Amino acid sequence: MAARNIVHGLSPYIGGQLPNPSYPPEIQGIGETPLWPLYLSLPYTASGGSLFTFNALSKIPILVSCFLAYVVVSRLGVGGASFYILNPYVLLTSVAWGKPDLVASLVAIAALLLVERRHLSALLLAVSLNIKPLGLGLVPAIASYLGARRGAGYVAELLLLSAAIFAAPFVLLGWEAPTTPQGLSNWLSEVGGISPTNLIDYLYGWDWGRRSPLGPIIGFFWLAAFGLSALAVFLTRPSTTSGLMRCSLLGSTVFILLRPSVSEQNLILPLMLLHLTVGGPPRTRLWGSILLFAALNLSIPQLLYPVNPEIVPDIYRLTAGIEAPRLLARFGASILFYSIYFSDLIRVMRVCGSSRRG
C-alpha cells in the first residue's frame, strides 16, 4: 500500500484501499519512518504488479544485512557470527517476514561502533532511525560516553539530520503531512505482540483493536522507565567501549522491551547488543522462546500469504475452538521470554560489573 501510494505520487502515510481476502480492504498509512517505504516503491515499480516479484525484490536489503551482520561480528572477533545467516529466529523475522528491523539495527550498531567519528556516527544513526526508530535507546549511552559538550553536540546533530531526512520526501515529493499527534498516541496506547500486555486480547477480544483500556497512560510508564534508565546511564558515564556497549544494551532493552507493544522482529537490536556484550550469540532458550510465541501468535503460517491469500481466515477458522487456550498459552510464552531475557541481562550486567572491578 505504501509503495503503491509513493509510485502514484501520494504519501505512504495516508493509506487507502487494497482489496484482499485476509485483511481489511481499508489499509491505514504506515506508522514508520520514510526510508523503507521509499525503497519499497522501487521493487513495486520493477515488479509490474507481480506479488511474488515484489516480495522477492523487497527483501534484497534484508538479505544483504544478514550477510553484513555476519561480516561485522566476525571481524570484531566475536563468536557466533553465523547467528545472522543460519538462525531461524533471524531468518523468520527478517527475510521471511520482509521487515527492515535488521537493516535498521545493523546501521545503528555501525553508528555505535564508529562513535569516535562523531559526525559519521550521527549520520548513520539518523539513517537508522529513518528506516525504523529502534535505535533511540542508544542515544543516552552515546551522549554520556562522549561527555557533556560533545554529547550535546552529537544529540543536536542527530536531531537535525533525522529531521532533515524525514522531511525531505514531504518537501521534494509533495507528500501530505502525517497525523503526528495520532501516531504518538498510537505509540503510547497500543498494546500486545510479545509484550505480556497481549493479555488484553484474552480479556477484551480482538474487537478492542490492541488498545489499552488505560489509553496513552500505559505508555507514559514506559517513557518514565526510559527516562530513569537514561539518568542511570548518565550517572554511570561509560568511558570504555565495553561500558558503552553495556549501557546501550540497557537503553535498548528499556526502550524496546518495556514498550506496551513489541513485535518479534523488534527484538533483533537488543539481541545483537547482547551478542556483542557477551561475546557469543543469544542462547537457544532465548530465541527459542520467541519462536514459541510466534507459533502461538499464528505469525508463522501467515507468511504463506503469497501462495494462499486466504491463509488468515483459514487459520482462524481452524483455531476458533481453541482460541481462549491459545491466547493464554501465548501470554505464557511472553512471560517465558521476558523471564529468560531479563535473567540473561542481569547475569551479563553482573559479570561485566565484576570484570570492571577486577
Side-chain angles (χ1 to χ4, degrees), residues 5 11-15 28-34 37 166 170 175-178:
N5 276 7
S11 167
Y13 291 93
I14 63 173
Q28 67 177 11
I30 61 165
E32 299 172 355
T33 38
F166 185 86
F170 294 92
W175 290 358
E176 295 180 36

Side-chain angles (χ1 to χ4, degrees), residues 91-145:
L91 297 179
L92 176 73
T93 58
S94 61
V95 180
W97 210 321
K99 290 290 188 177
D101 297 62
L102 179 60
V103 183
S105 297
L106 181 63
V107 179
I109 293 292
L112 196 61
L113 295 173
L114 296 170
V115 68
E116 295 296 347
R117 300 172 65 179
R118 183 160 54 93
H119 303 301
L120 176 59
S121 175
L123 175 60
L124 287 171
L125 190 52
V127 170
S128 173
L129 296 178
N130 275 280
I131 298 171
K132 199 161 186 175
L134 300 176
L136 283 170
L138 308 184
V139 176
I142 293 175
S144 180
Y145 175 81

Side-chain angles (χ1 to χ4, degrees), residues 19-221:
N20 68 89
S22 279
Y23 301 96
E26 184 66 33
I27 306 296
Q28 67 177 11
I30 61 165
E32 299 172 355
T33 38
L35 290 185
W36 187 247
L38 277 170
Y39 168 72
L40 291 181
S41 66
L42 300 179
Y44 181 87
T45 302
S47 67
S50 168
L51 176 62
F52 289 103
T53 306
F54 173 77
N55 193 39
L57 294 178
S58 69
K59 295 175 181 179
I60 291 175
I62 304 171
L63 285 164
V64 171
S65 294
C66 287
F67 175 72
L68 289 177
Y70 168 80
V71 171
V72 168
V73 174
S74 296
R75 293 197 172 181
L76 288 173
V78 178
S82 59
F83 181 76
Y84 302 99
I85 55 175
L86 298 177
N87 183 267
Y89 160 73
V90 175
L91 297 179
L92 176 73
T93 58
S94 61
V95 180
W97 210 321
K99 290 290 188 177
D101 297 62
L102 179 60
V103 183
S105 297
L106 181 63
V107 179
I109 293 292
L112 196 61
L113 295 173
L114 296 170
V115 68
E116 295 296 347
R117 300 172 65 179
R118 183 160 54 93
H119 303 301
L120 176 59
S121 175
L123 175 60
L124 287 171
L125 190 52
V127 170
S128 173
L129 296 178
N130 275 280
I131 298 171
K132 199 161 186 175
L134 300 176
L136 283 170
L138 308 184
V139 176
I142 293 175
S144 180
Y145 175 81
L146 290 173
R149 185 178 61 82
R150 291 202 303 157
Y154 183 97
V155 172
E157 189 172 358
L158 175 64
L159 289 173
L160 288 173
L161 288 169
S162 298
I165 295 171
F166 185 86
F170 294 92
V171 175
L172 299 176
L173 301 178
W175 290 358
E176 295 180 36
T179 53
T180 305
Q182 181 183 349
L184 178 60
S185 175
N186 289 340
W187 261 62
L188 296 176
S189 58
E190 284 186 352
V191 294
I194 198 170
S195 166
T197 59
N198 62 46
L199 188 62
I200 196 77
D201 291 332
Y202 175 78
L203 297 175
Y204 290 87
W206 287 104
D207 292 339
W208 190 260
R210 286 188 61 188
R211 297 189 68 83
S212 165
L214 299 176
I217 294 175
I218 192 172
F220 287 114
F221 289 107

